[in-house]
Amino acid sequence: MEIIAIIHTDFPDKFGIPRQSGLVSSLRAEIVFEPKFRNPDAIRGIEEYSYLWLIWNFSKAKQDHFVATVAPPRLGGKEKKGVFATRSPFRPNSLGLSSVRLEEVYLDENRGPVLVVSGADLLDGTPIYDIKPYLAYTDSHPDAKGSFGEVHKEDRIDVNFPQELLERLPEDKRTAAFDVLAQDPRASYNKKPDYIYGLSFAGYDLRFTVSQNQLNVCDVVKIDSNFSHVKGVKGR
């Protein structure tokens, strides 16, 4: 398979990435096609769809042998499930599947056609193998059973983000940063009281502690002034 595009997100590390696509709709990302696929004709008509499927590569989750079971973090990292009964990144072919909302399509002089999407759950620089339109009449199944994922879909944590710290972030990144933290990025088996966690987001280190089911942001430190390259886009 050929890599057709690279997605650029605000996550340089895996920690903090939403566990599923669409959970944090305020996140914005750009999909930039590889030179071979920068022909605008290849995406002609794509703006007629609201959502897209992305088929991509778990580039940071490689393994050299087959493991039949995994321990999902949402189950505390102790209960095993079959790898094909989960969305674990540790798979025989390291393929990911995400549904994202298409916010904008624009033509860049140097990068060709660019897709701006929201709700992506991908690491910055993730290779994209294919893009397909999402069709609600066949892709949506409201009555589908969701196993343990359904039980935990509403899991959130209260966030205390002091205004003076929030204002250190660019204005167009504040809502997404808050929403990412509200998902509680900690693994179920790695919740240490009074421990200072660090989450890299949009070129900033968001430092926080958790006490009595409240996440408290204690510092926001700029780590790379050139990292935030995702274009701010207003929702439709």
Side-chain angles (χ1 to χ4, degrees):
M1 290 191 294
E2 291 186 79
I3 296 171
I4 66 161
I6 299 294
I7 192 168
H8 297 289
T9 76
D10 285 320
F11 296 101
D13 303 311
K14 291 185 290 183
F15 182 65
I17 296 178
R19 295 174 176 88
Q20 304 293 342
S21 59
L23 288 179
V24 181
S25 59
S26 52
L27 288 172
R28 294 293 186 270
E30 289 187 342
I31 297 173
V32 179
F33 290 90
E34 293 290 272
K36 177 179 176 179
F37 302 101
R38 288 180 182 174
N39 186 336
D41 286 340
I43 60 166
R44 184 189 301 173
I46 201 169
E47 72 282 355
E48 298 169 11
Y49 298 93
S50 297
Y51 290 86
L52 303 172
W53 286 114
L54 305 180
I55 299 174
W56 47 278
N57 176 242
F58 282 107
S59 54
K60 301 296 183 181
K62 300 295 185 180
Q63 56 186 22
D64 55 10
H65 62 283
F66 174 61
V67 178
T69 60
V70 295
R74 279 304 201 201
L75 294 178
K78 297 179 181 180
E79 183 178 345
K80 294 290 187 72
K81 295 285 186 180
V83 64
F84 300 126
T86 74
R87 295 193 179 192
S88 168
F90 297 99
R91 323 189 65 79
N93 288 308
S94 300
L95 291 177
L97 178 68
S98 296
S99 174
V100 297
R101 182 178 178 88
L102 179 61
E103 299 287 351
E104 182 185 357
V105 181
Y106 71 93
L107 188 64
D108 184 272
E109 182 177 350
N110 298 316
R111 301 183 296 169
V114 177
L115 307 181
V116 180
V117 299
S118 62
D121 56 339
L122 284 74
L123 187 74
D124 182 56
T126 294
I128 306 294
Y129 286 136
D130 203 1
I131 299 170
K132 300 178 186 291
Y134 174 97
L135 301 176
Y137 77 90
T138 185
D139 294 344
S140 177
H141 304 280
D143 59 341
K145 294 191 295 183
S147 185
F148 66 89
E150 189 74 18
V151 175
H152 294 281
K153 69 178 182 180
E154 302 296 340
D155 286 1
R156 292 179 66 85
I157 192 169
D158 291 331
V159 176
N160 173 32
F161 206 141
Q163 187 65 26
E164 64 271 20
L165 295 180
L166 187 63
E167 289 177 356
R168 293 183 187 178
L169 296 173
E171 187 173 357
D172 64 336
K173 301 296 181 183
R174 295 172 189 173
T175 298
F178 190 96
D179 291 345
V180 166
L181 292 171
Q183 294 289 317
D184 193 353
R186 302 171 301 158
S188 298
Y189 52 83
N190 186 30
K191 296 184 175 181
K192 306 173 184 177
D194 301 320
Y195 182 83
I196 298 179
Y197 295 86
L199 191 160
S200 297
F201 177 79
Y204 291 81
D205 185 20
L206 310 181
R207 299 174 184 175
F208 64 90
T209 60
V210 179
S211 178
Q212 297 181 342
N213 204 38
Q214 178 171 281
L215 187 152
N216 301 290
V217 179
C218 55
D219 206 357
V220 174
V221 180
K222 193 171 185 178
I223 55 178
D224 184 353
S225 60
N226 296 317
F227 180 80
S228 182
H229 50 246
V230 178
K231 182 180 179 183
V233 180
K234 293 182 179 180
R236 292 182 180 177

